[in-house]
DNA sequence: GTTCCCTGTCATCAC
DNA sequence: TGGTGATGACAGGGA
């Protein structure tokens, strides 16, 4: 009696342990008890559908020696106990023929296609044999799941076993186990004791002990609540500290503003106070250095203010902002308002016809943009400011007609501003970068569509803005970016009071020489302005005849001035090739004399004065400026950060070149050629022939004229050829950079894929081993891995097959194979066949 | 004096 | 056939 009781207890315990995937050998050698072995063997038979055939067909199916006697009193008792476990009881109550056992890590998804693990255990027909189909079984899931495998054959003792395959049950186990682990939980003391014993024996129950123990669960929840409260308190304290710091910064900025500016009661403009007098803030051309400083200081300070004040400022219309930045520093910008705002630079540049207005316009735009950006104080400015890729995206998104592109949405992204000063600077850089691209776009339109005469000032302004903004953009590449104070930065960049706005830009560019290797993305962003297609450039750039008039001058009236101009015009190409990105591309001012004093000035002046096409047809030195702009960024020949040699060469001294053209000029004078060299070279064929016909020339004169024309034409052609070559080189260089980036990206992806592959292989190996070791043959012994292997069929099922049989050949159709084994060999194989969910 | 780079020129080819 | 553009090669000049 005692023995029977003890044995029955062991049987029950074995069932439970089996359910929890516990090795009985390790627990008091329980495996040696015949009842336990019976249980295990029976379970192992569950894997072998073929072996059930005779059992299921017999009237006493479960009286087989390999199965539990379901009439066994001990089993009945323990089965009842087992049924007391609420999870199983619930399933039983619901007459579900399949159930799940899982750990909290498992998340069951209702979507069959989901990558999440989904276990289904469906009873098949009436044979009480569970067919386990595992799909995408992860390692950890398999661990939790394997314990269930051994118990599936005994799950259903009901005579009402469903004939139909149950619907797969998808359960979010984490929700079930954590929120409501066992609904209707009524664990008896015995249950808890048993669980406690299992727990103390370090038996993996699949879930935490708290799932079974309400008291423990309560304690854990309480502990969690305490941690949450502590965390909230810490967050509050951090917030208070931050607010305090911002308030101090705000007060400081306010104080600075009141000290340096006063507001004009009539115009509403903010005027900087300087030495007791006020200078108009909106007229930088009257005193460039002064107003620039004022503007920059003002803007920089207000940017900082904006960040601070924004937290508490009322929301107003953006339209007011256009009339005065300080009137309505902070607004709510609606989507359409943002669109309007983003279009302002073009409108401003298109509509305004003076430097003054342009400056005001761009400044207002900056203010507005600042307001837009600070509308959400948590916008991700740092991300934008430091990410040139974002700039590239932005630039591409700023293409006309794409105002709704997602790149503009960055303005309202969320971000945390932890360091006001740094972020202010980042914001400013970002802002300028953004405006810069906008202005580039506007400049491109202006330059390509409008005539030259009434836009000189405007374009001149663009030049300054672009150079300045270019420097600003370049600044982003500094490693010590985060320690740069905004105002100091501006002061450094603007240089001395004597230099003009343009020269300030030059000085800034010089100071930023180390950073003139601009980001490729930016280059690409403006590539459409002229650099992308060198051949297109040539159509605009070289349709003039700079070469014909270049070099040494043919007339005294053109002497030094034009000589220098022509030289500089040539070096304007060089300068474009030498790292001064974007300068030459947008320069078209007719004023050059002011910048001839310094190398940089000459460099800029050269850019301003002409490109090769700008010198066309100007024998009298009037040099009407066309607006075929060259945006080449040919950075070869001159290392980054170095002024091209030609800039120094031609800027510091008078051109003393005595080229062959000078010889031609002299000869033409000697032979009394009655027309100019330019006329000879640049005139069309018909005109040229008419000229020759109209003047009776001797052979020598004709030969000279033809030589001059040939050489002039060829000179221009050579220039074009060289320029084109440079363009090709630059294009190839860019392409190479792109390809290198692509290569790096692919290498990284490949490494990532290999890493993932290794991971998956490891998981697969572990899973394979685990599943294989879980399998038992009819004698309850594990299969020999040398004789058997697990193979997966095309439908996802996993089979245990002898080594010399492949699933593909024998089990390509799992359903047919399982239902009708045809040969003895197949029969044997089918006995080994098991299907798992994976 | 050498080297490098820019520029003009010539020769040649193709259209 | 002549004109023109493109391009390689060469030479001169300047730094």
């Amino acid at each position: 009696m005692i023995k029977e009781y003890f044995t029955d207890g062991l049987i029950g315990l074995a069932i439970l342990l089996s359910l929890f995937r516990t090795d009985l050998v390790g627990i008091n050698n329980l495996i040696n008890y015949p009842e336990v072995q019976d249980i295990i063997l029976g379970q192992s038979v569950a894997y072998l559908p073929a072996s059930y055939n005779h059992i299921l067909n017999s009237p006493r199916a479960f009286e087989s020696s390999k199965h539990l006697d379901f009439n066994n009193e001990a089993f009945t008792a323990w089965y009842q106990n087992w049924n007391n476990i609420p999870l199983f009881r619930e399933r039983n109550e619901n007459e579900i023929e399949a159930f799940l056992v899982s750990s909290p890590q498992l998340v069951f998804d209702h979507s069959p296609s989901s990558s999440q693990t989904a276990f289904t255990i469906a009873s098949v027909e009436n044979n009480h044999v569970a067919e386990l189909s595992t799909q995408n079984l992860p390692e950890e899931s398999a661990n939790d799941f394997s314990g269930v495998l051994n118990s599936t054959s005994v799950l259903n003792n009901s005579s009402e076993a469903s004939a139909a395959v149950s619907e797969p049950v998808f359960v979010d186990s984490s929700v079930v186990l954590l929120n409501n682990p066992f609904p209707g939980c009524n664990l008896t003391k015995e249950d808890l004791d048993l669980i406690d014993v299992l727990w103390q024996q370090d038996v993996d129950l699949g879930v935490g002990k708290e799932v079974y123990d309400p008291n423990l669960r309560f304690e854990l929840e309480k502990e969690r609540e305490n941690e949450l409260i502590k965390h909230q308190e810490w967050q509050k304290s951090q917030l208070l500290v931050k607010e305090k710091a911002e308030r101090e910064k705000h007060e400081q900025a306010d104080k600075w503003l009141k000290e340096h500016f006063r507001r004009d009661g009539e115009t509403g403009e903010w005027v900087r106070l300087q030495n007791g007098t006020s200078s108009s803030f909106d007229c930088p051309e009257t005193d460039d250095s002064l107003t620039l400083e004022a503007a920059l200081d003002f803007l920089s300070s207000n940017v900082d203010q904006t960040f601070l004040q924004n937290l508490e400022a009322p929301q107003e219309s953006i339209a007011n902002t256009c009339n005065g930045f300080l009137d309505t520093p902070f607004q709510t910008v609606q989507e359409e308002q943002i669109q309007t705002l983003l279009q302002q630079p073009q409108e401003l540049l298109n509509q305004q016809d003076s430097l003054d207005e342009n400056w005001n316009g761009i400044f207002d735009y900056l203010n507005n943009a600042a307001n837009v950006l600070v509308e959400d104080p948590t916008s991700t400015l740092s991300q934008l400011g430091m990410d040139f890729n974002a700039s590239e995206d932005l630039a591409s998104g700023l293409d006309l007609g794409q105002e709704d592109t997602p790149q503009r949405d960055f303005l309202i992204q969320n971000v945390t501003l932890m360091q006001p000063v740094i972020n202010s600077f980042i914001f400013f850089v970002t802002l300028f970068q953004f405006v810069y691209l906008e202005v580039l776009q506007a400049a491109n339109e202006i330059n390509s569509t409008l005539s030259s005469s009434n836009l000189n000032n405007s374009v001149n302004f663009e030049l300054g803005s672009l150079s300045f903004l270019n420097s600003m953009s370049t600044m982003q590449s500094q490693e010590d970016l985060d320690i740069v104070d905004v105002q100091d930065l501006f002061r450094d960049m603007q240089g001395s009071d004597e230099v003009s706005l343009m020269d300030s830009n030059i000085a800034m560019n010089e100071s930023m020489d180390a950073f003139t290797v601009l980001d490729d993305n930016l280059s690409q962003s403006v590539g459409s302005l002229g650099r992308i297609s060198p051949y297109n450039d040539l159509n605009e750039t070289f349709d003039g005849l700079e070469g014909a008039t270049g070099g040494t001058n043919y007339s005294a009236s053109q002497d030094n001035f034009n000589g220098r101009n022509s030289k500089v015009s040539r070096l304007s190409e060089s300068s474009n090739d030498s790292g001064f990105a974007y300068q030459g591309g947008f320069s078209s001012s007719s004023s050059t004399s002011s910048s001839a004093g310094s190398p940089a000035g000459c460099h800029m002046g050269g850019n301003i004065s002409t490109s090769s096409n700008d010198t066309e047809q100007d024998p009298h030195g009037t040099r009407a400026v066309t607006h075929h702009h060259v945006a080449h960024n040919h950075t070869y020949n001159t290392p980054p950060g170095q002024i091209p040699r030609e800039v120094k060469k031609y800027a510091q001294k008078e051109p003393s070149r005595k080229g062959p053209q000078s010889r031609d000029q002299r000869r033409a004078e000697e032979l009394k050629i009655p027309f100019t060299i330019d006329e000879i070279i640049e005139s069309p064929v018909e005109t040229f022939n008419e000229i020759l016909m109209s003047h009776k020339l001797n052979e020598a004169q004709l030969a000279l004229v033809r030589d001059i024309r040939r050489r002039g034409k060829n000179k221009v052609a050579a220039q074009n050829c060289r320029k084109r070559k440079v363009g090709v080189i630059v294009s190839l260089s860019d392409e190479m950079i792109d390809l290198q980036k692509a290569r790096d990206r692919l290498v990284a992806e490949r490494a990532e894929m290999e890493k993932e592959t290794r991971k998956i292989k490891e998981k697969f190996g572990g899973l394979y081993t685990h599943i294989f070791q879980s399998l038992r043959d009819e004698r309850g012994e594990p299969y020999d891995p040398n004789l058997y292997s697990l193979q997966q069929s095309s439908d996802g099922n996993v089979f245990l097959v002898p080594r010399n049989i492949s699933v593909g050949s024998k089990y390509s159709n799992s359903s047919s194979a399982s239902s009708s084994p045809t040969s003895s060999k197949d029969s044997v194989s089918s006995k080994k066949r098991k299907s798992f969910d994976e």
Side-chain angles (χ1 to χ4, degrees), chain A residues 621-668:
Chain A
T622 55
R623 314 193 67 77
V625 177
T626 61
H627 286 270
H628 301 282
H629 299 288
V630 185
H632 297 289
N633 181 19
H634 307 312
T635 55
Y636 98 122
N637 286 340
T638 305
Q642 191 175 27
I643 298 176
R645 194 170 60 186
E646 285 65 33
V647 175
K648 307 170 189 171
K649 176 172 70 178
Y650 297 115
Q652 293 173 352
K653 53 193 288 185
E654 300 277 324
S656 58
R657 185 184 183 87
K658 294 180 179 177
Q661 287 193 342
S662 176
R663 180 191 59 200
D664 288 341
Q665 174 72 25
R666 191 172 57 253
R667 287 182 181 176

Side-chain angles (χ1 to χ4, degrees), chain A residues 23 140 326 361 367 392 445 588 602 647 702 722 760 771 795:
Chain A
D23 184 8
E140 58 270 21
L326 294 175
N367 295 338
E392 180 184 8
E445 279 202 345
S588 56
C602 269
V647 175
L702 280 176
R722 286 164 181 148
I760 292 174
I771 293 177
D795 59 0

Side-chain angles (χ1 to χ4, degrees), chain A residues 409-453:
Chain A
D409 295 337
F410 76 94
L411 294 175
I412 53 174
Q413 287 180 352
N414 290 329
V415 154
T416 302
L417 299 175
M418 298 299 291
Q419 299 172 330
V421 175
I422 295 174
N423 287 336
S424 296
F425 174 71
I426 292 171
F427 157 76
F428 203 63
V429 170
T430 305
L431 178 61
F432 266 81
Q433 185 179 353
F434 171 70
V435 176
Y436 171 43
L437 295 171
E438 284 284 346
V439 173
L440 289 185
Q441 185 73 34
N444 185 33
E445 279 202 345
I446 293 171
N447 294 333
S448 60
T449 58
L450 301 181
S451 62
S452 61
S453 60

Side-chain angles (χ1 to χ4, degrees), chain A residues 9-63:
Chain A
L10 281 176
I11 293 171
L13 182 58
I15 293 172
L16 285 172
L17 294 179
S18 176
L19 288 172
F20 295 125
R21 190 178 44 82
T22 302
D23 184 8
L24 294 182
V25 179
I27 304 178
N28 297 330
N29 204 19
L30 293 177
I31 192 65
N32 292 330
Y33 287 92
E35 291 81 359
V36 176
Q37 287 188 358
D38 248 359
I39 294 170
I40 296 173
L41 293 178
Q43 290 160 356
S44 66
V45 172
Y47 298 111
L48 311 174
S51 64
Y52 276 88
N53 292 336
H54 69 285
I55 300 173
L56 297 173
N57 293 333
S58 67
R60 297 173 61 81
F62 293 98
E63 291 180 1

Side-chain angles (χ1 to χ4, degrees), chain A residues 744-799:
Chain A
D744 293 343
R745 189 175 63 252
L746 290 174
V747 166
E749 286 179 4
R750 180 180 177 181
E752 188 67 24
M753 294 297 293
E754 287 177 347
K755 187 179 172 185
E756 289 295 324
T757 303
R758 278 198 303 273
K759 245 193 248 181
I760 292 174
K761 280 183 179 176
E762 289 172 2
K763 280 189 175 182
F764 177 79
L767 179 61
Y768 182 94
T769 305
H770 178 82
I771 293 177
F772 195 91
Q773 290 176 349
S774 300
L775 300 179
R776 297 290 185 273
D777 59 11
E778 290 85 350
R779 298 184 303 276
E781 297 176 352
Y783 288 97
D784 185 358
N786 294 322
L787 300 178
Y788 296 95
S789 66
L790 291 173
Q791 294 188 21
Q792 187 178 24
S793 64
S794 58
D795 59 0
N797 289 329
V798 177
F799 300 97

